[in-house]
Amino acid sequence: MPTPRTASPRAPAGSAPREANSALRAALDHAGWTPRDLIRALNPRLDAIGQPRLDLTAAHAWLRGSRPRSPAVRRLTAAVLSEATGTPHTAAALWGAIPGPRVEATATDGLLGRRSLTDVLATATAWTSGDVYDQVAVHPAPEDRLFAAVWDATRQAPHTPAPAAAGADHVHPPLMDLLERHLAELRRLDDTAGGGALSQRYVRTALANVLDLLRHSRYTPAIGIRLLRNAAGLAQLAGWMAFDASLPAAAQRYQLLAIRLARAAEDHDAVANVLGMLAYQHAAIHHPAAALRFAEAALDHTHRSLPVVRARALGRLATAHAAAGDIDAFRSASEQCRALLQRHRAHDGPPYLYYFTAEQVAAEAGQALVDLAAANAASPRRLLTEAVHQLAPLAAYGPATGYRRSALLHGIHLARATLQARDAEATVQALLRLTDHLGDVQSIRCRHLLAQLRRRAGSQLRSPEGADALRRLDQALSEP
């Protein structure tokens, strides 16, 4: 007589068996992902907001008919699948009629068309003060919609903010001075720590506080403009940190807010700077056409700017041309950038370009040369030799000068260059240097790039020294 089956604790006797999740399976197939690939995409987003990681086997159960207990994880799953496939997905579509929005938020929500400053401040406040999962579950906007939102933002009407009615507290110049010093220190925090969960949260809190002052305090027109510019700087920094945490859609939303706020304050240089950052971000995610479009827009905004501001825009244009594989255009923009930077005098320019030096330009050019070498079969060795020369100084001395995150990032590209050049000894030395400094930086993006590099290096570094370097790198990457 056959032995009776024991009821599964997940499916008690008498309950209907769960149906396989065909919608999730179809989305994974469209993305070309395995269930483990999905969890690998979700976990960095959870890292970015300081939440616990999921077990790599979790998505297997979801395919069999279970679902994540957390509505936030369901939303996050829809967001990463939307990014991977270019097709909108919602949590409701993936898991059926469950509580939650049927249409997920996108980066451009509330930021299209004509907007009053009052509306922009309200949108910024709601986004900054919302659920932390909003930062990771927001969907990227289609490129045409993002371009439209940027176009609208760059035409935000200049407008002095309206202070609160009588009875509210005044924002006096000493407090304003403190807020500006605070923004400068937060930028230095990014230089050292990068876009970790704590750094992001601290910048969001600072932005929320300044938005609250704009909406609920009293101030003179001059202080109102300074508050707007401070809020624009914090929004730009929050966007940069979100990008550094591998949250591109959240980064876009912050950058759109930064452009709106800067335009309201008539800060054309800040608008150009944010457009340049959007160009850099699109180049980094391999969207060269969008990168060029944003870089050209940034340059258009600098016709009346100081040389350092125009040089910064030209540097972004050079990066965009490199992403597009245009060596001649890259060299032309790079040379113009260096020529303008030579005319720059210390302390002559906006405070947010304090980091933009000849060493930074060289490192950015080196990174672009590595990308060009990977795409250029004609003369990769010459390009890689030049890249190593450009990248080495910042990669070596950045940690001692307070630019730890930049040193780590460009050190990764230096290791890419030596690996592509098949210089095993130099690659081992570069990896060991990265291992020594990885624990000092909380950049999730840098960790992703380094993990990708580790996978490529594994097949080339066969010597005992190479194996030891890879082992040490694995240990460093496994530590939080």
Side-chain angles (χ1 to χ4, degrees), residues 77-90 139-140:
T77 301
V80 298
L81 286 169
S82 296
E83 287 185 24
T85 62
T87 300
H89 291 281
T90 66
H139 287 225

Side-chain angles (χ1 to χ4, degrees), residues 345-430:
R345 294 175 296 178
H347 310 297
D348 182 14
Y352 45 80
L353 292 183
Y354 65 92
Y355 73 94
F356 195 57
T357 62
E359 291 77 14
Q360 178 68 23
V361 171
E364 290 180 11
Q367 175 182 341
L369 287 163
V370 179
D371 293 333
L372 282 165
N376 189 284
S379 54
R381 185 164 294 279
R382 177 176 60 84
L383 294 172
L384 290 170
T385 299
E386 186 180 353
V388 169
H389 176 72
Q390 301 273 36
L391 286 162
L394 184 55
Y397 303 120
T401 59
Y403 293 98
R404 292 177 183 171
R405 184 190 53 77
S406 187
L408 182 66
L409 173 65
H410 292 101
I412 292 169
H413 293 300
L414 175 62
R416 283 180 59 209
T418 57
L419 187 67
Q420 286 177 220
R422 298 191 176 278
D423 186 340
E425 182 178 352
T427 301
V428 167
Q429 293 305 312

Side-chain angles (χ1 to χ4, degrees), residues 184 188 222 233 239 249 255 283 294 349 356 373 391 409 418 450-451 454 473-474:
R188 290 293 186 181
Q255 306 291 28
F294 286 124
F356 195 57
L391 286 162
L409 173 65
T418 57
L450 192 51
R454 163 62 179 91
L473 179 58
D474 288 339

Side-chain angles (χ1 to χ4, degrees), residues 174-192:
L175 176 57
M176 192 67 246
D177 294 342
L178 174 65
L179 294 173
E180 289 168 347
R181 291 195 301 271
H182 192 205
L183 173 55
E185 290 300 321
L186 290 175
R187 288 182 174 126
R188 290 293 186 181
L189 175 66
D190 173 59
D191 292 335
T192 54

